[in-house]
């Protein structure tokens, strides 16, 4: 079987697609070079600057399986554009990401809910379940490391504290991050401990 090659779609990055945390059954062979299995098939795939090569794949297999698997036809540029207009949830996303290290979803949800209940504002109740907004940086800045540990954040407490401080002091801001390319953005985010 020959290889099937397509032009790399705009805003598609193979490493980001496979290593986003939603897929785990693959091996990285080299930079942008992977092998994976899905739907009973093995695929060796590589991305170059301009192309994506599906090794040992014909057009039918690509059209029937891999095109949808990798969501090749989706306009990720448009999605990013919409998301980047203004992300009011940046701070909550940042803190939730730090909490998510080595945690399962129910525990992450519980910690986010507890932080919201202690430092956020009461938003109402549905069927006996009280809901609170996630605190903004000013409100969460009132929490010390020990306060965060009491909310079962564990070793993440100093990381959360540092992230709050970085955002509160303007060292990290959403508007600044969206103006950077991916590599610069990662470098900037690595200024946060943990």
């Amino acid at each position: 079987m020959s290889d099937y090659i397509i032009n790399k779609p705009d805003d598609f990055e193979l490493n980001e697609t496979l290593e986003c945390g939603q897929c785990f059954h693959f091996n990285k062979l080299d930079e942008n070079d992977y092998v994976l299995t899905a739907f009973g098939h093995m695929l060796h795939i590589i991305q170059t600057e301009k192309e994506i090569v599906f090794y040992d794949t014909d057009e039918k297999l690509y059209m029937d399986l891999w095109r949808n698997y990798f969501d090749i036809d989706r306009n990720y540029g448009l999605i990013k554009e919409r998301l980047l207009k203004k992300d009011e949830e940046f701070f909550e996303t940042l803190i939730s990401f730090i909490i998510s290290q080595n945690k399962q979803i129910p525990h992450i949800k519980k910690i986010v809910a507890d932080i919201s209940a202690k430092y956020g504002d009461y938003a109402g109740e549905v069927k006996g379940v009280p809901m609170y907004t996630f605190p903004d940086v000013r409100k969460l800045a009132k929490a010390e490391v020990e306060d965060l540990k009491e909310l079962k954040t564990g070793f993440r407490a100093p990381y959360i504290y540092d992230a709050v401080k970085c955002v509160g002091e303007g060292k990290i801001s959403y508007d600044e991050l969206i103006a950077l390319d991916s590599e610069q953005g990662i470098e900037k985010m690595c200024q946060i401990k943990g």
Side-chain angles (χ1 to χ4, degrees), residues 8 50 62 90-91 101-103 118 136 148 154 157 161 165 193:
K8 185 181 90 62
K50 296 182 180 179
Y62 168 76
F90 166 71
F91 183 66
Q101 297 174 54
N102 299 325
K103 288 286 184 190
K118 186 163 184 179
D136 62 23
L148 294 167
Y161 180 83
K165 189 174 177 184
K193 292 178 185 172

Side-chain angles (χ1 to χ4, degrees), residues 20 24 52 62 80 92 95 107 110 118 141 152 160 171 179-180 187:
C20 69
F24 303 97
I52 300 174
Y62 168 76
K80 289 176 183 178
E92 180 176 352
I95 302 303
H107 197 183
K110 173 82 168 103
K118 186 163 184 179
K152 308 291 188 225
I160 295 167
K171 292 179 184 174
L180 302 173
E187 187 178 319

Side-chain angles (χ1 to χ4, degrees), residues 46-64:
I46 188 168
Q47 176 188 309
T48 68
E49 191 174 314
K50 296 182 180 179
E51 297 176 330
I52 300 174
V53 180
F54 297 79
Y55 290 104
D56 297 317
T57 301
D58 60 19
E59 183 177 8
K60 182 175 182 347
L61 184 57
Y62 168 76
M63 296 299 283
D64 291 348

Side-chain angles (χ1 to χ4, degrees), residues 153-188:
T153 59
F155 71 87
R156 297 156 205 80
Y159 303 155
I160 295 167
Y161 180 83
D162 185 64
V164 171
K165 189 174 177 184
C166 285
V167 173
E169 293 175 356
K171 292 179 184 174
I172 302 283
S173 76
Y174 176 77
D175 292 331
E176 177 187 16
L177 287 171
I178 63 169
L180 302 173
D181 64 32
S182 295
E183 193 173 308
Q184 293 169 324
I186 291 168
E187 187 178 319
K188 186 73 175 173

Side-chain angles (χ1 to χ4, degrees), residues 139-153:
K139 291 177 182 171
L140 196 51
K142 296 175 183 172
E144 298 293 334
V145 172
E146 290 306 314
D147 299 324
L148 294 167
K149 283 183 178 177
E150 287 176 13
L151 296 173
K152 308 291 188 225
T153 59

Side-chain angles (χ1 to χ4, degrees), residues 65-192:
L65 180 64
W66 302 121
R67 183 179 182 181
N68 288 333
Y69 181 81
F70 287 101
D71 208 9
I72 295 293
D73 297 321
R74 186 162 315 274
N75 186 339
Y76 287 101
L78 181 61
I79 292 169
K80 289 176 183 178
E81 184 181 313
R82 288 178 181 160
L83 289 173
L84 293 177
K85 282 186 179 173
K86 188 61 179 172
D87 185 355
E88 300 295 341
E89 302 298 314
F90 166 71
F91 183 66
E92 180 176 352
T93 302
L94 172 64
I95 302 303
S96 298
F97 178 76
I98 294 169
I99 292 168
S100 74
Q101 297 174 54
N102 299 325
K103 288 286 184 190
Q104 295 180 343
I105 291 171
H107 197 183
I108 298 165
K109 289 177 65 177
K110 173 82 168 103
I111 293 171
V112 170
D114 289 348
I115 287 173
S116 299
K118 186 163 184 179
Y119 296 99
D121 295 323
Y122 179 73
E125 191 172 300
V126 175
K127 294 188 176 183
V129 178
M131 294 299 294
Y132 298 85
T133 61
F134 192 83
D136 62 23
V137 67
R138 183 178 38 82
K139 291 177 182 171
L140 196 51
K142 296 175 183 172
E144 298 293 334
V145 172
E146 290 306 314
D147 299 324
L148 294 167
K149 283 183 178 177
E150 287 176 13
L151 296 173
K152 308 291 188 225
T153 59
F155 71 87
R156 297 156 205 80
Y159 303 155
I160 295 167
Y161 180 83
D162 185 64
V164 171
K165 189 174 177 184
C166 285
V167 173
E169 293 175 356
K171 292 179 184 174
I172 302 283
S173 76
Y174 176 77
D175 292 331
E176 177 187 16
L177 287 171
I178 63 169
L180 302 173
D181 64 32
S182 295
E183 193 173 308
Q184 293 169 324
I186 291 168
E187 187 178 319
K188 186 73 175 173
M189 290 299 286
C190 284
Q191 292 177 15
I192 298 173

Side-chain angles (χ1 to χ4, degrees), residues 37-42 65:
T37 61
F39 305 108
H41 293 272
M42 183 181 80
L65 180 64

